Amino acid sequence: MDTITIKTIIEKGLPDCTAVVNNDMRDGVHFDAEVVSSAFDGVGLVKQHQLVYGTLGSLMDEAIHALALRTYTPTQWAKK
């Protein structure tokens, strides 16, 4: 799996989304991502992560071993 594919899937699956995906271990199965989306407004952290995982569907069971997430609303991102 590659970072561009993961980024594209996440961004297509969430409204007003920007994702930055990294594979620092360079192994193609361990990733980390920063995801900003208006879908996270008024939603708790666990649900935010579930929304991201949901965009990836079965890839989380097969091609992706681990995905560390940092999620933000657009307002939170602007304050960062």
Side-chain angles (χ1 to χ4, degrees), residues 1-8 10-11 18-35 52-53 56 60 63-70 72 77 80:
M1 183 60 49
D2 65 272
T3 58
I4 294 171
T5 301
I6 296 170
K7 171 185 171 57
T8 301
I10 293 171
E11 288 181 344
T18 302
V20 176
V21 181
N22 296 299
N23 178 219
D24 292 336
M25 294 181 74
R26 302 185 195 280
D27 63 1
V29 295
H30 294 90
F31 300 91
D32 65 85
E34 288 186 312
V35 183
V52 175
Y53 294 140
L56 296 166
M60 289 303 301
I64 300 171
H65 177 71
L67 176 63
L69 290 174
R70 290 173 307 284
Y72 306 90
W77 183 257
K80 186 176 173 203

Side-chain angles (χ1 to χ4, degrees), residues 2 7 9 11 19 28 42-43 49 63 79:
D2 65 272
K7 171 185 171 57
I9 292 169
E11 288 181 344
V43 177
H49 288 204
K79 292 178 182 178

